[in-house]
Amino acid sequence: TIDVSNLNRQFLFRKADVGRPKSTVAAEFIMKRVSGVTVEAHFCPIQDKPADWYRQFQVIVMGLDSIEARRWLNAMACSLVTFEVDMETGQRKPDLTSVIPLVDGGTEGFSGHVRVMYPCVSGCFECTLNLFPPQQAVPLCTIAETPRNAAHCILYAHLIEAPKQFGDEKQDKDDPAYQQWVFQRAEERAAQFNIPGVTLMHTQGVIKNIIPAIASTNAIVAAACANEVFKVLTNCAAYVNNNLMYIGGQGVYAPTFRYERSPECIVCGAGVQVEIASSATLTQLL
């Protein structure tokens, strides 16, 4: 759903839309702006849709906000590809009529990227997973015993105090009431250790893992994604092969380069061959 923090990073939502599904509001905005266009909104996790639902599309745009969601959708697109066997070489080749192109876009601050992927033909998202920096985790002992900044206090309220207060009941991180509760507990925690900087906006950013976003960067990357979709569908020009980086922190720099497909990719390739004794246990294999 739409949160107040979403309003400064894009042009589709207004203050009156806070609390409404993003897909519904976006669909309404587009149909109002562009006459003759029909947009069907879906308000559910992408995992809820079956394979046949994804198979109906000519191209899929991955406007997602996490690596996990991108990996899932990439795997789904690869699973839809059927293969033919070359009678001369015996090699499996993807049936291009079953390949649904993926266009992926993402931003962070003044930087962004656009990728065009053909599942099981070009390098897929999983092929390049090692290029992403590892997620920085804060030791739980630091959060519980020796907090050093405002984020530690917020995480203490969110990860340690909330389970005590609410038990097994899962809290909605988009719920303003829950955000306010975490903010108040984090303020109390910060006061105990004389740590400044706990605000409601910072609290929302920490518990929802919000990455700083800039409306102009989002607009540039979204336009580049739309441009690639248009080229893929119409064949009017060559599409990006297969990655475009946008670096706008100091001027405008937008290089393109090609991600190669990994033959050992567990999603679109043959996988990794492992030799192990038949008597080995699962623990030994892992």
Side-chain angles (χ1 to χ4, degrees), residues 163 166-171:
F166 303 105
D168 294 333
E169 181 182 353
K170 187 175 181 180
Q171 298 302 305

Side-chain angles (χ1 to χ4, degrees), residues 58-84:
Q58 293 177 278
V59 63
I60 297 175
V61 182
M62 299 167 63
L64 302 169
D65 61 357
S66 71
I67 292 177
E68 291 74 18
R70 285 180 167 89
R71 292 181 68 185
W72 188 91
L73 192 51
N74 174 77
M76 169 58 75
C78 289
S79 72
L80 299 178
V81 178
T82 58
F83 289 84
E84 302 172 324

